Amino acid sequence: MTQKKVSIKIGRKSSGYDIRIGNDLLAASGNWAVESLGRSSGKIAVISNKTVFAIYGTTVVKGLTKAGFETFVHLIGDGEKYKSFKTLEKTLAFLGENKISRTDAVLALGGGVVGDLAGFAASVYLRGIAFLQVPTTLLSMIDSSVGGKTGINTSFGKNLVGSFYQPNGVLIDAAVLATLPRRELTAGFCEAIKQGAISGKKLLEQTGSILEELDNNSIAKKLADGHFTAEFEQLLAAQVRFKALIVAGDERESAAKTDAKSRKILNFGHTFAHAIEKITNYHYFKHGEAVGYGIIFAAELSKKLELMPLDGVNLLNDVVRRAGSLPAIGHIDPSEVLEAFKYDKKNIGNSLQWVLLKGIGKPVIVSQNDIPGSALRSVLQSIIRH
Ligand SMILES: NC(=O)c1ccc[n+]([C@@H]2O[C@H](COP(=O)([O-])OP(=O)(O)OC[C@H]3O[C@@H](n4cnc5c(N)ncnc54)[C@H](O)[C@@H]3O)[C@@H](O)[C@H]2O)c1
Ligand SMILES: [Zn+2]
C-alpha cells in the first residue's frame, strides 16, 4: 500500500488539511479519519448514493467503526437531479434526527454529486460541522473535491446555491476507479487535460502518457500493474496540486481578478461545454465529455485569433482523442450554440469572458467583445462538421 500526501493551505483552518492519495486505502479510512479530525470518537454521518455505497460502503463503515466512530448512513439517489433542495432538506433532517452534533462530522463517499451536496449540508448544518471527502470518480478526485466549492442545483440554474467550505481531509483511493463506467473515466480525463492545458506542458504530457498507457485497456486491469499505479498516483497528486495552487491564490473566485492566476482559468473549455450541455438539455453529454469538445473549441479559437500556434492545437487534439470517444456532435445547430453562450455564468457586466491560450500553460481571459463574430462562427462550423 503506497501513499502520497498533498497538503493544502486554504480555508478556515489555518493549519490547512491533507489530501491522501494511494491505492486500496478504503479499509484504512478509520485511521485517516482519526488523523483528519484529530479524534477517535464521535459520530460520522456517511452520505453516499446507492450505487457507490453498494460497492464500497461496507469497507468504509467497517474502517470507521474499527477506529472508534459511531457511523450513520444516509443514501441519496444516483444522478445530477438529486443535487437538489429536496435532497438537501432530507439530508439535513437525517443529521438532525440522528443528533449529529457540532463536534461530529459528515463524510461524503461518492462522485461530485454526493461531494457537492454533502459538503453543502456540512457547511450549513449547525452553521458548519467537520467534513471529510472520499471522492470515487476521477472528476471528483482531481477537480470537485479540491477547492471547497459545494452546492446544489435549483430551478433557476445549476450550482447557483452553495458555499465555499474546505474539508478537514480528502482520501483518494485510485483502486475505486476499477468499477467506474468508461464514459465517466473519459469525462474525468477531459477535466484532467483541461488542467494540463492551463498548467503547462509537464502536466499535459504526464496526463497524455497515462492515457497512452491505458489505450484500450480497462483501468481495472491497469491498476493491477504496480508500475502503472505508481505513475497514476503521481498524476493524481500533480493534478490535485495544480488545482489547489490556483484555488489558494483566488479562493472565492473574485470577479475583478482576470489575470492568469485567477480561478476563472479553470473554466478553460467550459464556455463551449456549457453551451452544448444546455442545448442538449444536460442529458446527452457527461459534463466532462462536453469539456473535451470545449478544450478543442477554445484551442481552435485561440489559433484563429493568432494567440496560439498550431502545434499547441494539435497536441490538445491528440490528447483529447486519447481520453476516449466522445458522443457525436454533428447534429448540433451552430446558431443555437451562439445563442446559448449568452447564458453562460461567466457573463460579467454583459460580456462573456473566454479563457483562451497563448500557448500550453499560458491562459488568457478574453472578453467576447474583443472576438470577431466571424471567428466564432468559423470555429463553430469546423468543430461541429468534424
Ligand atoms: N465543487 C466543484 O468545484 C465542482 C467541480 C466540478 C464538478 N462539480 C460537480 O460534480 C458533479 C459531477 O461529478 P461526477 O462527474 O463525479 O458525477 P457523479 O457524482 O454523478 O458520478 C458519476 C456516476 O458514477 C457513479 N460512480 C461514482 N463512483 C463510482 C465508482 N467508483 N464505481 C462505480 N460507479 C461510480 C455514480 O453513482 C454516478 O452514477 C456535478 O454536479 C458538477 O457540478 C463540482
Ligand atoms: Zn468542469
Side-chain angles (χ1 to χ4, degrees), residues 80 158 273-274 276-286:
E80 186 72 34
K158 288 187 66 170
H274 289 153
I276 60 175
E277 284 183 282
K278 182 176 162 59
I279 59 184
T280 53
N281 292 319
Y282 300 95
H283 286 312
Y284 184 63
F285 299 102
K286 305 275 171 206

Side-chain angles (χ1 to χ4, degrees), residues 102-314:
R102 297 195 53 180
T103 52
D104 296 326
V106 164
L107 182 150
L109 172 68
V113 167
V114 167
D116 280 12
L117 180 111
F120 188 40
S123 80
V124 294
Y125 180 72
L126 304 179
R127 298 195 180 80
I129 67 169
F131 176 46
L132 299 169
Q133 290 241 67
V134 183
T136 61
T137 61
L138 179 58
L139 182 142
S140 58
M141 291 175 182
I142 60 147
D143 187 355
S144 65
S145 73
V146 192
K149 280 189 184 176
T150 77
I152 54 171
N153 303 322
T154 66
S155 56
F156 47 91
K158 288 187 66 170
N159 294 322
L160 292 184
V161 169
S163 62
F164 288 100
Y165 199 65
Q166 302 295 339
N168 296 62
V170 181
L171 184 70
I172 298 181
D173 179 358
V176 305
L177 297 178
T179 55
L180 190 70
R182 177 68 228 196
R183 280 184 72 184
E184 300 293 350
L185 193 67
T186 296
F189 269 117
C190 288
E191 295 281 10
I193 296 166
K194 170 205 80 177
Q195 293 189 167
I198 53 177
S199 163
K201 278 228 165 84
K202 189 163 173 229
L203 186 58
L204 184 61
E205 276 164 9
Q206 201 178 353
T207 310
S209 78
I210 283 286
L211 283 169
E212 200 168 305
E213 268 195 67
L214 256 182
D215 198 18
N216 281 325
N217 289 305
S218 74
I219 192 149
K221 194 168 145 213
K222 290 299 288 184
L223 285 170
D225 160 2
H227 169 73
F228 176 84
T229 308
E231 248 182 71
F232 186 63
E233 284 167 17
Q234 264 166 22
L235 173 68
L236 292 174
Q239 286 280 347
V240 162
R241 244 182 251 120
F242 171 70
K243 175 145 189 206
L245 179 79
I246 298 301
V247 171
D250 184 17
E251 192 189 351
R252 287 172 180 253
E253 193 164 341
S254 98
K257 209 169 159 70
T258 53
D259 57 40
K261 294 231 165 63
S262 154
R263 192 169 177 161
K264 290 192 195 78
I265 64 165
L266 294 167
N267 286 310
F268 176 66
H270 278 61
T271 305
F272 183 73
H274 289 153
I276 60 175
E277 284 183 282
K278 182 176 162 59
I279 59 184
T280 53
N281 292 319
Y282 300 95
H283 286 312
Y284 184 63
F285 299 102
K286 305 275 171 206
H287 167 71
E289 293 172 335
V291 170
Y293 279 115
I295 292 169
I296 306 296
F297 187 92
E300 295 282 359
L301 185 58
S302 304
K303 183 179 132 262
K304 188 97 200 157
L305 300 175
E306 294 178 359
L307 288 166
M308 178 162 74
L310 183 64
D311 59 347
V313 183
N314 289 343

